[in-house]
Amino acid sequence: MMQNVILKKSNKQISGTVNLTGSKSECNRALVIEALSNGKVKVENVSDAADAVLLAGILRSAVGSDQLAAVHGPSTIDHGPQTVDIGPAGTAMRFLTAYFAIQDNEVILTGSQRMKERPIGILVDALRELGAHIDYEEKERYPPIKLKGSFGQQTSKISIKGNISSQYITALLLIAARLPFGLELHIEGELTSRPYVEMTLAMLETAGIQHQWLDNVISITNQEFTTTSIHVEPDWSAASYWYAIAALADQADLFLTGLTPYSLQGDSVITEIMANFGITSQFKDGGVQLIRENKPFSHKIFDLKECPDLAQTIIVVCAALGHEAAFTGLETLKIKETDRILALQTELAKMGVKLIENNEVYQLDCSGKFIPDRMFINTYHDHRMAMAFAPLALIIPQLEFENGPVVDKSYPAFWTDLAKLGFEVQEVEG
């Protein structure tokens, strides 16, 4: 039976030091680069997030099999396609689709039931156009998919919509230097989550892969990786939950180790966003100190197009404080681990708050807000739903979270870190 978590906080003061795991976003990119580099690139500070651990195991197993084949020759026994199950790891599904598309072995890539409901067609179309052989095993344009190997590049120029998922674009960019003719990627329309694409290109540059980005075209030629190591930064997405806790506290003095103001991660913008809630960020002593100051709230519209993973955190903070803010740039939230818009609307309703959509603008209505004595949080198999709602323990006497281990996907130590800083954390049978 799944373990639920009951969370309480006896006062509204928070202080202490938090050591964050490595960034899942950076780590997943670094692991694919490592696998494509034929041993030239090594990854340091690998994240202990479940998604990153899973991806690392799959890639290192795949690379090991390739190395054995190079030494001993391909097996003469036809064992059929290898099945790779990535569970709920959406990033792994996108990145591995591109990675296995250019390998010689035949692979069936599958995942959880929710993963089978998350579209992959745009990426598959692009890879097929490049020369990949990919079939759908069940529903057209959705996982599971069969990647048949025998890649033969047909073109170097492809187009892809920019407003669906930056992970499709990143998946293509990661393999670009390994394509015989390179890649000229035309991005159609407005690019969602641009910082994630910039992160990918910066990490490729660290590994020796150069690019050109002119207007809406990114070009990467066929080229070799250089011998180097990639150090994964601590996770700014994980840091955002501590910013939210500071924002809901009466007094806060938190130190998050390892974070710098010069990050590849787009979610480092949380420092600017949370300044609207009176949280100052002082970078010193190898980390960042968060101080809570009393400050009137003035920011009413948040454009989260470039940092959608912060959306749940910021929306819940605004709801808790009764700030009727508006939000844009949330289009991709409906195809994440769950429909995050619907999930937010459902859970916020438990404290009388409405999140109303009007032509892709989302407005909080806090006119019916109340503070219940207890609140049960459904997590929808979504790690960010659990962690975004956890700061409410500072204003609601008791929270119970369905499926506490869901946080393992990106921040396995989350509940432990809360306990270290004075929260009461109790596991109960779900």
Side-chain angles (χ1 to χ4, degrees):
M1 185 173 289
M2 199 71 71
Q3 291 289 315
N4 288 359
V5 167
I6 292 176
L7 189 65
K8 301 177 183 178
K9 185 75 167 70
S10 60
N11 57 51
K12 297 186 68 173
Q13 286 79 45
I14 186 79
S15 64
T17 297
V18 181
N19 299 305
L20 299 171
T21 187
S23 163
K24 182 168 73 79
S25 297
E26 281 192 31
C27 192
N28 286 339
R29 287 160 173 78
L31 289 168
V32 177
I33 292 170
E34 179 184 62
L36 291 167
S37 73
N38 295 326
K40 292 183 177 180
V41 177
K42 300 298 181 185
V43 182
E44 298 175 351
N45 193 35
V46 173
S47 172
D48 62 5
D51 280 14
V53 172
L54 175 68
L55 182 60
I58 291 169
L59 287 169
R60 287 169 180 168
S61 175
V63 170
S65 299
D66 291 344
Q67 290 172 345
L68 283 173
V71 173
H72 301 290
S75 172
T76 57
I77 303 172
D78 182 9
H79 296 290
Q82 174 193 7
T83 297
V84 175
D85 189 339
I86 54 78
T91 305
M93 173 60 74
R94 278 78 179 260
F95 291 3
L96 289 174
T97 295
Y99 174 81
F100 283 122
I102 63 170
Q103 308 303 313
D104 290 332
N105 45 327
E106 191 170 297
V107 172
I108 293 175
L109 198 54
T110 189
S112 64
Q113 184 56 46
R114 173 58 183 167
M115 189 56 56
K116 294 180 180 182
E117 299 168 356
R118 298 178 68 178
I120 195 77
I122 289 174
L123 178 57
V124 169
D125 289 346
L127 290 165
R128 282 173 168 176
E129 191 175 347
L130 285 171
H133 302 283
I134 306 174
D135 289 337
Y136 296 104
E137 290 289 279
E138 295 178 11
K139 185 179 178 182
E140 194 74 9
R141 305 188 70 76
Y142 292 84
I145 55 176
K146 180 187 286 186
L147 302 110
K148 298 181 178 180
S150 304
F151 179 84
Q153 190 168 5
Q154 302 297 311
T155 182
S156 62
K157 298 180 181 180
I158 58 171
S159 297
I160 192 166
K161 292 180 179 178
N163 65 346
I164 303 297
S165 172
S166 64
Q167 290 180 5
Y168 297 152
I169 295 170
T170 283
L172 295 166
L173 294 175
L174 287 170
I175 65 169
R178 279 279 175 248
L179 301 178
F181 310 139
L183 179 66
E184 186 178 298
L185 184 61
H186 295 249
I187 300 170
E188 297 177 351
E190 190 174 17
L191 175 59
T192 298
S193 305
R194 183 185 180 101
Y196 286 99
V197 176
E198 292 173 340
M199 175 197 295
T200 302
L201 293 170
M203 295 182 73
L204 284 168
E205 280 194 0
T206 298
I209 303 303
Q210 305 301 312
H211 73 277
Q212 285 190 325
W213 191 343
L214 299 174
D215 297 325
N216 67 329
V217 180
I218 303 174
S219 302
I220 296 178
T221 61
N222 174 266
Q223 55 194 292
E224 287 298 317
F225 291 86
T226 57
T227 300
T228 188
S229 61
I230 297 177
H231 183 83
V232 176
E233 301 174 320
D235 191 1
W236 271 106
S237 303
S240 71
Y241 308 116
W242 295 102
Y243 273 87
I245 287 168
L248 297 187
D250 287 340
Q251 294 179 331
D253 185 356
L254 288 170
F255 188 76
L256 310 180
T257 63
L259 295 170
T260 75
Y262 311 108
S263 174
L264 296 177
Q265 300 169 58
D267 284 356
S268 62
V269 74
I270 192 69
T271 60
E272 301 172 25
I273 293 173
M274 283 297 175
N276 295 288
F277 300 87
I279 307 302
T280 61
S281 303
Q282 299 176 9
F283 291 93
K284 61 181 184 180
D285 303 327
V288 61
Q289 187 173 26
L290 316 187
I291 303 293
R292 172 83 164 86
E293 298 177 349
N294 291 323
K295 180 180 178 181
F297 180 80
S298 58
H299 200 140
K300 294 296 183 183
I301 300 177
F302 295 94
D303 182 358
L304 304 179
K305 176 182 62 184
E306 296 190 342
C307 52
D309 282 349
L310 299 180
Q312 291 145 292
T313 306
I314 298 163
I315 289 170
V316 171
V317 167
C318 286
L321 296 174
H323 297 325
E324 296 193 336
F327 308 88
T328 60
L330 307 186
E331 290 73 31
T332 62
L333 266 62
K334 295 182 179 180
I335 59 168
K336 296 287 188 177
E337 282 80 349
T338 185
D339 179 341
R340 287 177 170 171
I341 298 296
L342 180 59
L344 280 166
Q345 290 169 328
T346 303
E347 299 310 302
L348 290 174
K350 296 175 181 178
M351 52 189 291
V353 176
K354 298 177 182 177
L355 180 64
I356 301 167
E357 179 181 2
N358 182 13
N359 195 26
E360 296 188 347
V361 177
Y362 296 81
Q363 179 77 48
L364 277 177
D365 177 357
C366 301
S367 59
K369 174 193 163 189
F370 63 94
I371 303 300
D373 291 332
R374 298 182 178 185
M375 186 166 161
F376 185 89
I377 307 296
N378 293 95
T379 57
Y380 308 89
H381 306 289
D382 185 350
H383 55 133
R384 301 207 188 280
M385 283 299 293
M387 292 185 286
F389 276 82
L392 291 182
L394 288 162
I395 64 170
I396 295 175
Q398 178 173 307
L399 298 178
E400 182 173 348
F401 293 84
E402 171 202 33
N403 184 13
V406 73
V407 302
D408 292 353
K409 182 179 177 68
S410 63
Y411 189 172
F414 181 67
W415 303 118
T416 302
D417 285 348
L418 285 173
K420 287 178 180 177
L421 270 70
F423 286 79
E424 182 182 335
V425 181
Q426 179 185 0
E427 290 187 353
V428 295
E429 293 292 335

